[in-house]
Amino acid sequence: MTNKRQALVTGANKGIGLAITKGLAQSGMSVWLGTRDRSRGQAAIQNLLDEGLDVRLLEIDVVNEVSVQRAAEAVSRETGALHVLVNNAGIILDPTAPPSKVRMEDAKATFEVNLFGPIRVTQAFIPLLTAAEGARVVMMGSGVGSLTLIADPTSIYSSVNLLAYTASKVALNAVTVSFAKELAAFGIKVNAVEPGHVQTDLNDNTGVLTPEEGAATAIKMALIGQDGPTGGFFGGHGRQPW
Ligand code: NAP
């Protein structure tokens, strides 16, 4: 057992999740790099270990109940508390399909990762989160998860029409508010963030921000103090409209 502050980031073997993992480790935390594929995780973690960062691999497939339970047990064996959980894993399937052509199996699979995944993982880690004093949960939302912005023709987000992805991120905002209400009694703050348009495999590397820039708001909300907000939605310019 260790007394060092612990964090878990899901979908951390690349992209924004890897940058969040690095940033939290650089802040002095011991970070579990969540990956659904051990070999992809091992390839990713090596650079961080070479830099002397305190990071450990954790196999966790957020759509798989058994995998998530095993991951929670594995963390429990090593530590009594989880101070930060970043629900970062996310997918976009068939991005060129217009809403009328989105396959139901793709819509369901998208919700499994982007919405049910964060619910499943948060529930599984609640015993460890409540054991930490003032844990923080960050939900990786999206600008296209803002109904206000996607309906505003002056917003760049209104030009994006990804039925399943957008709906999953809109719903994730509601999940954020729900958990924030329940977990406030334990001093746990739960916030959704949006990273901006980040260059990652998710968008075929068409984004404009680096993963490190995209990770900044998630890291900030993971480390907010007792006077920080809960149940909110934040981006690089502060509070975002729902
Ligand atoms: P990415 O580079 O494609 O990374 C996505 C990560 O999620 C990968 O590690 C992937 O693992 C993992 N993942 C997918 N399904 C999973 C599952 N079932 N269980 C566990 N992990 C799983 O994309 P990214 O841009 O960094 O995305 C990270 C988050 O930011 C997502 O929630 C995304 O929606 C959000 N976001 C991104 C942008 C952007 O501009 N990039 C904008 C707004 C929001 P594998 O390598 O095994 O596939």
Side-chain angles (χ1 to χ4, degrees):
M1 288 277 176
T2 168
N3 289 327
K4 201 165 171 188
R5 285 168 58 78
Q6 304 285 313
L8 164 60
V9 184
T10 65
N13 53 285
K14 64 179 182 178
I16 301 168
L18 180 58
I20 296 169
T21 300
K22 184 173 179 177
L24 290 176
Q26 284 172 332
S27 82
M29 300 191 82
S30 177
V31 189
W32 297 86
L33 182 155
T35 180
R36 62 175 162 171
D37 180 281
R38 176 161 283 273
S39 60
R40 282 201 283 270
Q42 269 162 346
I45 206 168
Q46 198 52 52
N47 284 339
L48 306 187
L49 290 170
D50 290 347
E51 289 181 38
L53 296 171
D54 185 354
V55 284
R56 277 176 286 183
L57 201 66
L58 184 70
E59 258 183 82
I60 179 165
D61 183 336
V62 304
V63 306
N64 183 321
E65 192 68 44
V66 173
S67 169
V68 171
Q69 288 303 330
R70 279 199 189 131
E73 285 158 21
V75 175
S76 301
R77 281 195 293 277
E78 298 290 324
T79 179
L82 184 67
H83 302 82
V84 165
L85 168 63
V86 182
N87 283 301
N88 167 76
I91 57 169
I92 295 178
L93 297 175
D94 200 4
T96 57
S100 57
K101 299 277 190 254
V102 169
R103 289 185 295 267
M104 281 311 296
E105 69 249 39
D106 285 350
K108 289 177 183 175
T110 303
F111 268 65
E112 270 300 335
V113 178
N114 297 3
L115 181 69
F116 303 136
I119 297 173
R120 187 178 290 116
V121 174
T122 304
Q123 288 179 342
F125 281 88
I126 276 178
L128 284 167
L129 291 166
T130 52
E133 281 183 25
R136 306 288 179 250
V137 178
V138 177
M139 304 291 192
M140 185 52 81
S142 168
V144 301
S146 162
L147 285 174
T148 304
L149 296 180
I150 60 173
D152 174 358
T154 66
S155 164
I156 50 160
Y157 295 112
S158 69
S159 64
V160 181
N161 199 0
L162 295 166
L163 181 142
Y165 180 77
T166 294
S168 71
K169 295 293 188 180
V170 169
L172 184 60
N173 286 344
V175 166
T176 301
V177 174
S178 289
F179 274 126
K181 286 180 183 169
E182 180 187 358
L183 299 179
F186 301 96
I188 300 173
K189 295 184 189 294
V190 186
N191 289 292
V193 299
E194 73 98 3
H197 193 207
V198 185
Q199 203 175 93
T200 67
D201 289 346
L202 188 86
N203 50 29
D204 285 332
N205 294 291
T206 57
V208 292
L209 302 176
T210 64
E212 289 69 31
E213 289 167 334
T217 306
I219 294 169
K220 183 177 167 191
M221 298 316 288
L223 300 176
I224 47 165
Q226 272 184 10
D227 55 346
T230 191
F233 183 28
F234 299 88
H237 302 294
R239 201 174 274 273
Q240 292 278 325
W242 294 117

